[in-house]
Amino acid sequence: QSALTQPASVSGSPGQSITISCTGTSSDVGGYNSVLWYQHHPGKAPQLMIYDVSNRPSGVSDRFSGSKSGNTASLTISGLQAEDEADYYCSSYTGSSTYVFGTGTRVTVL
Amino acid sequence: EVRLVESGGDLVQPGGSLRLSCAASGFTFSSYWMHWVRQAPGKGLVWVSRIYNDGSSPRYADSVKGRFTISRDNAKNTLYLQMNSLRAEDTAVYYCATINPALDVWGQGTTVTVSS
């Protein structure tokens, strides 16, 4: 149950697009289309931004999109805004009927 | 209002035990799998445990297997986490959550500190 690998930090200017990667194995990310992405502002409850690799829950901005290729999932934030500054975590269902989170990525809006 | 409220966090000595509770309201608790997720100080989110909606098939992260027990009481709309043989590395904020795209709800967390 090793954590999925994410870059520690990603930054961008307002209006730009950024992409966060999430690398796992064939036993988690690569084996299932059950990848989630959460936005987490410190001190608050995490908010689901993407589910099942590329689907957005109701109410989530269409500036957020997800994809997957092999063992790596990605979250893209388009038209970066100040309010997007937060920690982002991917998560995947695993072959042992458990779940695993990514190491987390701090997004900074310059 | 859909809500999850954790309680039971405390300062406990290494080797000690603690039981966390998570009270659900505003949704049909008995319809959802429930999870515990933790975040150590300055670290990321870590999945801890999951239980089916009917209380069956608990699953655990390797780091807590054999020490933690997840359970639920659907009549009381409450999720539990019994934590035994606590270690310093169990120090974290513990969240309960549905982790469900149809209704993704998280509590605000309860703090567990394991220290002598």
Side-chain angles (χ1 to χ4, degrees):
Chain A
Q1 290 177 347
S2 299
L4 308 175
T5 301
Q6 298 180 230
S9 63
V10 174
S11 62
S13 300
Q16 286 186 330
S17 293
I18 62 170
T19 297
I20 303 168
S21 61
C22 168
T23 301
T25 69
S26 57
S27 295
D28 38 63
V29 174
Y32 305 90
N33 285 325
S34 299
V35 176
L36 311 174
W37 286 93
Y38 282 93
Q39 178 190 69
H40 190 201
H41 289 102
K44 294 191 172 183
Q47 179 185 355
L48 183 65
M49 307 304 284
I50 295 289
Y51 68 94
D52 292 349
V53 176
S54 60
N55 295 292
R56 275 187 311 276
S58 173
V60 172
S61 170
D62 60 4
R63 297 186 298 105
F64 292 84
S65 61
S67 63
K68 189 183 84 167
S69 177
N71 296 335
T72 298
S74 298
L75 173 72
T76 297
I77 308 175
S78 304
L80 199 62
Q81 299 179 1
E83 67 206 48
D84 300 331
E85 191 161 286
D87 297 322
Y88 290 82
Y89 295 90
C90 60
S91 177
S92 175
Y93 179 79
T94 80
S96 52
S97 195
T98 60
Y99 293 75
V100 60
F101 277 91
T103 50
T105 298
R106 172 66 58 88
V107 168
T108 301
V109 181
L110 301 173
Chain B
E1 179 190 5
V2 172
R3 203 171 177 210
L4 292 171
V5 179
E6 302 93 339
S7 61
D10 204 347
L11 170 64
V12 60
Q13 292 189 339
S17 297
L18 211 54
R19 188 176 85 155
L20 305 184
S21 299
C22 168
S25 60
F27 66 101
T28 307
F29 178 72
S30 60
S31 295
Y32 292 88
W33 296 6
M34 292 297 298
H35 302 254
W36 287 99
V37 176
R38 69 185 182 184
Q39 184 173 33
K43 303 295 184 180
L45 299 175
V46 175
W47 179 84
V48 173
S49 182
R50 175 227 79 194
I51 191 168
Y52 279 174
N53 56 309
D54 63 357
S56 67
S57 192
R59 290 292 185 269
Y60 303 93
D62 288 344
S63 58
V64 307
K65 199 176 297 182
R67 299 187 299 122
F68 289 12
T69 301
I70 190 172
S71 63
R72 64 192 296 164
D73 185 336
N74 285 342
K76 294 183 177 179
N77 290 335
T78 302
L79 175 73
Y80 303 99
L81 186 67
Q82 177 66 43
M83 303 186 296
N84 299 329
S85 303
L86 283 162
R87 307 166 180 167
E89 54 265 36
D90 295 319
T91 294
V93 174
Y94 284 74
Y95 298 95
C96 60
T98 56
I99 306 185
N100 186 308
L103 182 69
D104 194 74
V105 188
W106 291 63
Q108 288 298 315
T110 187
T111 301
V112 172
T113 303
V114 184
S115 175
S116 55

